Amino acid sequence: MPITLLWAVDVYGRVYSLSTAGQRWERADDMLLELKRVTAGKGRCWGIGCDHHVYLNMMPSETSIRYREETYENQRWNPVDSFTDTLLPTDRWPWSDVTGMNPLPLHSFELPSRSWEWEGDWYVDQSCGEPNQTGGWEYAVDFPANFSPDKKWNSCVRRRRWIRYRRYTAQGTWAKIPLDYPRKPPLPLCDISCGGWEMSDQSGRYPNLWGVSQQGEVWFREGIHPRVPEGSGWEEVEVPKEVAQLSAGPGDLLWALLWDGNLLVRTGLSLDSPTGTSWVELESPGKEIEALHVAVGVSVVWVVTKDYKVWFRRGVNSHNPCGSGWISIGGEMMVVDVGLNEQVWAVGEDRGLYFRMGVTLSEPSGSGWIPVSAQWGNSKEVIPPRKASEFGDQLAEALKSSLLSCTDSDSELGPPDPPNGTKDFPVLEAAAPSVLPLGGADTPTPPLKTEDPPSALQQDAPKPFIPASDSFINSLVSDRDKTSTPQLPITEVRQEEVQEPSPAPILPTPETAGHDVPWMNVDLEGAEAARCAQAAGPSSGALGTLQTSHGVGVEDAPVWTWVSGGGCDVDAGSQISWLSPTGPLTSSLSLTPVQSAAWSEQQQQQQENREEISKKPLERSHSVWVRKGALRWWRDWKPQRWVDASVALEQSTKSDGGKDSIFFVYYTQYDEKKYVHVFVHEVTALVPVFMDCHYAFAVYTTQRTKQRWPLVLAAQTEKDMNDWLCLLSDCCCECRGITGPPSRQALWSTTSKGDIMVHEPSFSLEAPAHTLACDLMFWRQVPGHLRCVESNSLGLVWGVGWDGTAWVYSGRNGQQPTSGGAVQMHQQTDVRSVHVYENQRWNPMTGYTDKGLPTDRPMWSDESGLKECTKGNTPPPSPQWSWVSEWAVGYSVPGGTDKEGWQYAADFPTTFHGHKTMKDFVRRRRWTRKCKITLRGPWQQVPPIRLTDICLMPCLAQSRMEQVPVWALSDKGDVLCRLGVSPQNPAGSSWLHVGTDQPFKSISIGGANQVWAITKDGAVFYRGSVSPQNPAGECWYHIPSPPRQTLRQLSVGRTSVFAVDENSNLWIRQGLTPSYPQGSAWELISNNVTKVSVGPLDQVWTIAEGVPCFPAETPGAVCHRLGVGPMQPKGQSWDYGIGGGWEHISVRGNSAEAPRAPHPPPPVGAPRSPLPPTQVNGNAVGV
């Protein structure tokens, strides 16, 4: 790591530097140099002197800074004198630049400042042609033309270049930047900041310099170049309001602090537009507290408010320079600065230097403050954070040294002592009410000796307040006509010695003489406060609690007022001797002057004192964690396409442990930087999707679910996609307080891709009033791959894969993992078939061929015929799948096939059948290829029978069952009953075959052991006499189907039965009673339903085929039936939730009922009803 410097300025204007390879502060060689503040960059440091001039210190390097001056000598040929400098009136100047437009005679070149010297005299550039033969001349026909070293017969003009080098001689010293003559220079500057050498769109090689004048104007230094480090001139940048201080980052961030305490952000900064395009105003982070100081880095912003609280701006990026919100950070600081690698330096309220520990790219807010503990002078004593008493004495002596004297602000010295007889009580200028004085009432001071108690006057005397920055001079000036109550220092004594302090008198503030202007000198303000403190004298006792045992001299440790780490190359892992804390520091602490003094005492006292100090409570600060990466974004607008984007997940941790996260997507459109952001607490689902063979996933929010337009992102590899999915899912769960495996009441669902999704329900999900909207539901993914999944409220979850394999959940849902044991993960495989269809049309000449009509579907397509799919270009469902077979003709097709696998129909699209007739002019056959996926999940295989449907008996949460009935259908249509299933043995023991005379395709068991099933031809049956003692029942009862409809799936709840037919219509069975459980009739409820699930509370959820008004969305949306109740079992309306490829849903585990309000007592004397209270949903509740 190269050796770099940390720069700092003390209250006397002395400039110091601290090397990363050293251990001692080094003062500038120029002992007369007095700077107010500095700003450092790579290899250089700028400063503002007390004379308001700008100074530059270039770091010494092995390569000297040289600049080449050049001019061209131009001549024209004439028949008398040959080539001469007598040119035509239309020609260029005899001495000019390369363009010939500007005259540049040799005598017009001057050194820009005293920091330069000529290396030699002018000489001719001999690089053209042979040296000493052409004399450096280049010939051409006329001006301007192409010049060459060869002289020809028609060469009428010639030129040659003269060169002279100048060298920068002020490296390693502070050099004054000359004024811009004859241009108008800026007014005296009060703040400067350099940055911009790492523009985000291109790596720059030189910094930009910004300045603020005392009238609030913003200036930009032009012409800064590696060969011209001083720049060439100042350019004014218009601002909407007066600026007090600004900060420029190494990239394209620029923030400014206004006189009124608000903030300005410059947008549009780039290499092509270094001054930006516009300003955006932001409010101060503190409520009703103005900002005091601002510092920016590449993608971070730190702000200090007038109560010395430190704030961090989250979401800052070159695409979003304004950020998205403020985070409060522990520590009480006066000045902060962001250096290289986003490292943060600060001047504390005790005037000590501090460094922010743990600042990394992933955690830009860091974890805590540590002092900068470097040696000073010729001694080996480490400079600790200062006690308030030490700082007070040096302030009292500050006027004697008078190193920061300025002659242009005499009006700021304040009036003489007022003639009202208050000279016995020194009157100090108070700060603005929002600014806490050093050692204020909220900051305890070190313990006092009991043998020398302070007097009442000593306790009441306020401490002198010295501003740390010009950024809040407005408040100091505007509040001079107000009276303020000085704050008492809090003295820590032993509990038995605590005395009630006397009340502090209200000291009047005198009238200010002269005219106070907003650009008053901050150092004179400090000197005025120090003069007032000195005028009190030792006899008055006003500063009796601030005395020290030694005077202020040259060898005293500095009292810092400014720091700049822009040129200090350190990071969180750097091994720097003066950044190694030796005391018991916590990872997040709030440094007050007392705690800083306590830290220094720990270096000198014994272990017993350290333990006593360590018992003091420390404030817990907030922190910010960031994860960045590169993904591809499916653009939201047409024409839709993939766009390269950078993403960032920013998570903030509050002091109470709560977390809040924002996900940013940064992209560029027409060379304009833009971004899309999503609040993680608004994310409702993270679903993997398959788009164009990309590893893609969709991010749903409430608003995007309503608009049916998720945020789709794609990664380069499967690992990157899984990492981002896990990271975002964990953040979503943390924001909602969801931990551990799914609960017993969870809703389970699967997508058409096979992903398993879970929702943790609340009481409001099924509440009669104020029901939770479906688009607000948060779905999280469970590892695994299934086609359908079923559960109940006892914690049992079964699933069926696409290949018919039965799986049981082994993640102990509803139970906390045991100590040392995580969720059991097993290897899970699944096999599914991919289909493409070969289509043909008949013609009289050749019969069936692949030559169709122009209006026909593609001759190779999917089942719908809308998309062309050939055997060559059809990939597996996702990159996670791999082929395990070759393409083969499929014969198991609904409607049947002939011996070659063809299905026939009159035209596309109509119903296909397996035999050819005279009216069949088109045919198709299905080609099938199998693919396999292997992954790990909390699922245990249940061998050996392959299943097509599974169902668990729903029950209430308080139910106790030794064995849970589980019914299933095999791939051959046989009805099976699983024995021995219990919460302790979720996989059961064996299968019991239930006799049938025809194959079934759907089965469901509800309350009171009601078993309903549908055969493959659509007939409905009810299984009678099913009980715990007779789990298989006795016989089947045929139930008539709806008129002219064929049912395909049903679900039985507590007291209701719902079914879906082949035309996606939803039906309810009417007339169900305990004495007649078969019911009486079917009633149509709705259409647009593909799957239905009825829960133990008779709640109804479905998978809708589509969402109204969104015909382009992929079929499959979660839908909730509203208004379902005992008096209205079929419900009233639909609430559509997340959609786009959802396959199955199960709510049979959600038995969480909303708490009911207590019934009011009957009025006294009211007649009682002779009838007993009715039971909800009848009596068929035997669970």
Side-chain angles (χ1 to χ4, degrees):
M1 179 179 294
I3 299 176
T4 54
L5 299 178
L6 173 68
W7 295 87
V9 181
D10 67 359
V11 293
Y12 298 100
R14 298 177 295 197
V15 184
Y16 299 88
S17 61
L18 181 59
S19 172
T20 55
Q23 298 181 358
R24 190 182 308 277
W25 285 101
E26 300 291 343
R27 186 179 173 185
D29 296 336
D30 188 356
M31 294 299 177
L32 299 179
L33 179 67
E34 301 174 4
L35 298 182
K36 293 195 294 184
R37 55 185 60 178
V38 293
T39 175
K42 281 190 173 181
R44 69 196 68 202
C45 185
W46 302 77
I48 297 181
C50 291
D51 55 359
H52 301 295
H53 281 278
V54 179
Y55 291 81
L56 172 63
N57 189 332
M58 292 295 299
M59 301 297 103
S61 62
E62 298 179 356
T63 304
S64 60
I65 301 177
R66 302 170 68 238
Y67 186 79
R68 183 179 66 188
E69 300 282 8
E70 61 179 28
T71 183
Y72 284 83
E73 180 184 3
N74 306 304
Q75 293 185 355
R76 176 175 286 277
W77 182 88
N78 64 68
V80 178
D81 301 325
S82 185
F83 284 98
T84 178
D85 58 358
T86 304
L87 305 180
L88 299 178
T90 57
D91 283 342
R92 58 182 61 185
W93 302 89
W95 294 86
S96 68
D97 59 359
V98 66
T99 64
M101 303 299 294
N102 302 312
L104 291 178
L106 296 179
H107 60 81
S108 64
F109 289 87
E110 297 180 356
L111 293 175
S113 67
R114 297 180 179 178
S115 302
W116 295 85
E117 68 177 9
W118 294 111
E119 287 190 345
D121 204 352
W122 290 95
Y123 66 92
V124 176
D125 182 13
Q126 298 286 345
S127 61
C128 298
E130 294 294 333
N132 301 325
Q133 294 184 6
T134 63
W137 291 104
E138 294 179 301
Y139 298 87
V141 177
D142 200 354
F143 299 117
N146 294 326
F147 287 85
S148 67
D150 300 329
K151 181 181 179 183
K152 300 179 181 180
W153 66 272
N154 59 349
S155 297
C156 299
V157 295
R158 69 178 182 178
R159 71 176 185 183
R160 63 180 174 181
R161 182 171 63 174
W162 291 76
I163 294 176
R164 191 179 190 185
Y165 283 92
R166 52 183 169 92
R167 181 169 55 90
Y168 189 77
T169 60
Q171 285 183 287
T173 61
W174 288 94
K176 182 184 294 186
I177 302 301
L179 297 178
D180 303 331
Y181 291 113
R183 299 178 58 182
K184 174 186 176 182
L187 293 174
L189 299 179
C190 63
D191 186 56
I192 56 174
S193 181
C194 71
W197 62 84
E198 293 180 0
M199 287 290 183
S200 57
D201 54 357
Q202 185 178 349
S203 179
R205 294 181 299 172
Y206 54 92
N208 299 328
L209 183 66
W210 297 78
V212 177
S213 69
Q214 291 186 342
Q215 287 189 346
E217 302 168 339
V218 175
W219 295 80
F220 177 78
R221 186 70 176 174
E222 297 177 322
I224 298 179
H225 190 270
R227 299 302 180 188
V228 188
E230 300 168 312
S232 57
W234 291 97
E235 175 188 355
E236 185 177 0
V237 179
E238 295 184 359
V239 289
K241 295 181 180 180
E242 293 83 359
V243 174
Q245 181 252 332
L246 55 73
S247 178
D252 47 9
L253 289 184
L254 177 68
W255 283 52
L257 177 67
L258 298 177
W259 283 5
D260 59 8
N262 287 342
L263 299 162
L264 278 182
V265 183
R266 190 65 171 174
T267 61
L269 290 173
S270 65
L271 291 179
D272 297 331
S273 177
T275 58
T277 56
S278 61
W279 295 95
V280 178
E281 184 174 356
L282 299 177
E283 294 183 355
S284 172
K287 295 182 179 179
E288 300 180 357
I289 300 178
E290 300 173 0
L292 174 66
H293 186 82
V294 62
V296 305
V298 177
S299 58
V300 296
V301 175
W302 293 71
V303 169
V304 178
T305 51
K306 288 189 175 181
D307 56 357
Y308 300 146
K309 300 300 181 184
V310 183
W311 300 80
F312 177 85
R313 186 70 173 178
R314 60 185 306 185
V316 177
N317 187 278
S318 60
H319 296 255
N320 180 24
C322 297
S324 56
W326 294 103
I327 300 296
S328 177
I329 303 295
E332 297 182 0
M333 302 296 168
M334 305 178 73
V335 173
V336 293
D337 184 75
V338 181
L340 300 178
N341 307 319
E342 311 288 34
Q343 302 302 307
V344 183
W345 311 84
V347 177
E349 190 182 6
D350 60 347
R351 298 291 179 155
L353 288 185
Y354 295 94
F355 174 74
R356 187 71 177 173
M357 293 190 306
V359 175
T360 61
L361 293 179
S362 61
E363 192 173 355
S365 64
S367 56
W369 298 99
I370 60 173
V372 177
S373 306
Q375 298 176 7
W376 159 250
N378 296 324
S379 66
K380 296 184 179 180
E381 181 181 358
V382 175
I383 302 180
R386 293 187 164 270
K387 300 180 182 179
S389 59
E390 297 178 5
F391 180 48
D393 272 353
Q394 294 200 25
L395 290 179
E397 298 291 338
L399 188 62
K400 295 181 181 180
S401 300
S402 184
L403 291 178
L404 297 180
S405 59
C406 294
T407 59
D408 56 348
S409 303
D410 295 336
S411 62
E412 303 173 15
L413 297 178
D417 294 337
N420 54 2
T422 61
K423 61 182 179 180
D424 295 336
F425 295 89
V427 180
L428 303 181
E429 289 187 358
S434 60
V435 180
L436 301 179
L438 294 176
D442 61 340
T443 305
T445 60
L448 292 177
K449 296 182 180 180
T450 56
E451 62 269 18
D452 188 15
S455 61
L457 182 59
Q458 290 173 336
Q459 296 178 358
D460 297 342
K463 296 182 180 179
F465 174 71
I466 302 299
S469 171
D470 291 338
S471 57
F472 57 99
I473 296 302
N474 272 344
S475 62
L476 297 178
V477 176
S478 61
D479 293 339
R480 285 186 175 183
D481 56 345
K482 303 176 184 179
T483 61
S484 61
T485 303
Q487 311 219 4
L488 288 174
I490 299 179
T491 303
E492 278 192 358
V493 296
R494 294 185 177 89
Q495 186 174 2
E496 60 270 12
E497 298 177 358
V498 175
Q499 299 179 0
E500 190 71 18
S502 58
I506 300 178
L507 301 180
T509 302
E511 295 291 335
T512 304
H515 301 283
D516 292 333
V517 292
W519 54 87
M520 297 184 66
N521 192 310
V522 62
D523 302 310
L524 291 184
E525 286 291 331
E528 172 64 13
R531 180 185 293 110
C532 294
Q534 185 185 17
S539 59
S540 65
L543 296 176
T545 62
L546 302 179
Q547 298 299 322
T548 59
S549 59
H550 60 278
V552 177
V554 178
E555 294 300 328
D556 290 330
V559 180
W560 304 114
T561 185
W562 198 264
V563 64
S564 178
C568 189
D569 190 4
V570 300
D571 53 36
S574 300
Q575 300 297 328
I576 308 296
S577 59
W578 38 269
L579 287 181
S580 300
T582 58
L585 297 180
T586 59
S587 61
S588 58
L589 49 88
S590 174
L591 286 172
T592 63
V594 171
Q595 293 165 349
S596 300
W599 187 91
S600 63
E601 292 174 2
Q602 290 173 359
Q603 313 302 314
Q604 305 171 4
Q605 297 179 356
Q606 300 297 329
Q607 182 64 29
E608 56 270 15
N609 293 336
R610 297 180 183 178
E611 295 177 357
E612 180 180 356
I613 295 173
S614 63
K615 295 179 181 179
K616 296 182 180 181
L618 297 176
E619 178 186 356
R620 185 177 180 182
S621 65
H622 295 194
S623 63
V624 177
W625 175 88
V626 177
R627 164 73 184 274
K628 298 181 179 180
L631 298 175
R632 303 195 72 190
W633 172 51
W634 185 249
R635 199 167 64 180
D636 283 347
W637 61 88
K638 295 182 179 180
Q640 292 178 309
R641 60 183 179 88
W642 290 106
V643 177
D644 292 334
S646 59
V647 297
L649 176 62
E650 183 180 284
Q651 183 182 79
S652 64
T653 303
K654 303 178 182 178
S655 56
D656 58 356
K659 296 183 179 181
D660 185 19
S661 304
I662 306 178
F663 185 63
F664 295 92
V665 178
Y666 303 104
Y667 65 97
T668 303
Q669 180 187 6
Y670 303 120
D671 296 332
E672 182 180 358
K673 298 177 181 178
K674 297 184 178 182
Y675 72 99
V676 177
H677 72 281
V678 174
F679 293 99
V680 173
H681 69 271
E682 296 180 356
V683 173
T684 56
L686 299 164
V687 184
V689 295
F690 178 65
M691 295 182 63
D692 302 335
C693 300
H694 285 82
Y695 296 95
F697 61 95
V699 181
Y700 286 86
T701 62
T702 301
Q703 190 65 27
R704 288 182 174 271
T705 299
K706 294 179 180 179
Q707 299 174 353
R708 305 292 155 180
W709 201 269
L711 182 71
V712 181
L713 300 166
Q716 294 292 332
T717 62
E718 179 184 355
K719 182 180 182 300
D720 291 342
M721 182 191 71
N722 293 333
D723 289 345
W724 276 107
L725 279 176
C726 293
L727 185 62
L728 291 172
S729 180
D730 291 344
C731 290
C732 293
C733 293
E734 288 178 350
C735 292
R736 291 170 171 79
I738 300 176
T739 58
S743 66
R744 297 182 177 184
Q745 312 291 329
L747 277 67
W748 293 75
S749 182
T750 59
T751 66
S752 57
K753 189 175 174 292
D755 299 310
I756 307 167
M757 312 299 294
V758 175
H759 169 72
E760 296 295 339
S762 60
F763 290 123
S764 61
L765 188 62
E766 302 295 343
H770 309 290
T771 304
L772 178 69
C774 279
D775 49 31
L776 296 176
M777 298 171 61
F778 171 68
W779 296 88
R780 58 170 171 156
Q781 187 176 0
V782 175
H785 190 276
L786 296 173
R787 181 177 57 85
C788 66
V789 62
E790 290 290 339
S791 66
N792 75 347
S793 56
L794 297 181
L796 300 175
V797 182
W798 281 59
V800 179
W802 288 87
D803 58 356
T805 305
W807 302 87
V808 62
Y809 185 70
S810 60
R812 298 186 300 275
N813 54 321
Q815 306 175 16
Q816 294 297 328
T818 58
S819 59
V823 175
Q824 297 180 4
M825 305 296 286
H826 307 277
Q827 181 174 341
Q828 184 182 12
T829 61
D830 200 0
V831 178
R832 66 183 304 178
S833 298
V834 177
H835 308 296
V836 297
Y837 285 82
E838 180 185 3
N839 307 303
Q840 291 186 354
R841 176 173 287 276
W842 182 88
N843 66 70
M845 301 297 295
T846 59
Y848 286 101
T849 65
D850 56 358
K851 304 296 183 182
L853 299 177
T855 57
D856 280 346
R857 60 180 61 185
M859 292 297 100
W860 289 88
S861 68
D862 59 357
E863 184 177 7
S864 65
L866 301 177
K867 181 180 179 181
E868 183 177 6
C869 299
T870 65
K871 292 190 294 183
N873 66 5
T874 300
S878 74
Q880 296 174 304
W881 294 80
S882 59
W883 296 116
V884 294
S885 71
E886 297 297 329
W887 290 103
V889 176
Y891 296 93
S892 300
V893 184
T897 65
D898 62 9
K899 61 181 180 180
E900 295 181 354
W902 291 104
Q903 291 182 302
Y904 300 88
D907 201 353
F908 301 118
T910 53
T911 303
F912 286 85
H913 46 268
H915 57 279
K916 184 182 181 304
T917 64
M918 294 295 295
K919 297 181 180 180
D920 294 332
F921 295 98
V922 296
R923 69 177 182 179
R924 72 175 186 181
R925 65 178 170 184
R926 187 170 72 180
W927 290 81
T928 302
R929 191 178 187 184
K930 292 184 178 181
C931 54
K932 182 179 180 180
I933 185 174
T934 302
L935 68 167
R936 297 189 64 83
W939 301 93
Q940 183 179 355
Q941 185 176 354
V942 182
I945 303 177
R946 298 189 179 276
L947 307 179
T948 59
D949 197 11
I950 190 77
C951 185
L952 284 72
M953 179 177 173
C955 56
L956 299 180
Q958 63 271 19
S959 301
R960 296 293 182 267
M961 304 176 64
E962 295 182 359
Q963 292 190 4
V964 178
V966 177
W967 289 67
L969 298 178
S970 70
D971 56 351
K972 297 180 180 180
D974 298 329
V975 179
L976 305 173
C977 179
R978 189 69 174 176
L979 302 179
V981 178
S982 64
Q984 294 74 26
N985 183 23
S989 58
S990 61
W991 289 107
L992 176 63
H993 185 271
V994 180
T996 59
D997 57 356
Q998 52 184 320
F1000 284 75
K1001 63 180 179 182
S1002 178
I1003 193 168
S1004 179
I1005 180 172
N1009 293 279
Q1010 305 175 69
V1011 179
W1012 291 63
I1014 302 176
T1015 62
K1016 289 190 176 181
D1017 59 2
V1020 184
F1021 287 87
Y1022 170 81
R1023 186 69 176 178
S1025 303
V1026 179
S1027 64
Q1029 295 75 23
N1030 186 17
E1034 294 183 356
C1035 61
W1036 293 101
Y1037 296 91
H1038 180 264
I1039 307 296
S1041 300
R1044 297 181 301 276
Q1045 299 295 333
T1046 302
L1047 299 182
R1048 67 181 179 189
Q1049 186 256 335
L1050 54 75
S1051 181
V1052 184
R1054 191 178 185 181
T1055 60
S1056 59
V1057 177
F1058 286 78
V1060 179
D1061 63 19
E1062 296 289 348
N1063 295 322
S1064 301
N1065 296 318
L1066 180 64
W1067 301 81
I1068 184 176
R1069 187 66 177 175
Q1070 297 285 3
L1072 296 177
T1073 63
S1075 59
Y1076 191 65
Q1078 296 90 344
S1080 58
W1082 293 99
E1083 181 181 354
L1084 179 64
I1085 296 179
S1086 173
N1087 57 3
N1088 192 35
V1089 176
T1090 60
K1091 292 286 182 67
V1092 63
S1093 178
V1094 184
L1097 304 178
D1098 284 333
Q1099 65 267 39
V1100 180
W1101 291 73
T1102 65
I1103 298 296
E1105 193 172 20
V1107 180
C1109 303
F1110 295 95
E1113 187 183 29
T1114 305
V1118 176
C1119 198
H1120 184 202
R1121 187 67 174 175
L1122 302 179
V1124 176
M1127 306 303 297
Q1128 188 74 19
K1130 62 181 181 179
Q1132 298 176 348
S1133 61
W1134 292 107
D1135 180 20
Y1136 291 90
I1138 189 171
W1142 291 66
E1143 180 77 14
H1144 182 87
I1145 189 170
S1146 175
V1147 298
R1148 301 173 68 80
N1150 182 23
S1151 60
E1153 294 186 89
R1156 301 179 181 179
H1159 293 284
V1164 179
R1168 294 186 176 181
S1169 173
L1171 298 177
T1174 58
Q1175 297 181 0
V1176 180
N1177 289 352
N1179 297 323
V1181 229
V1183 291

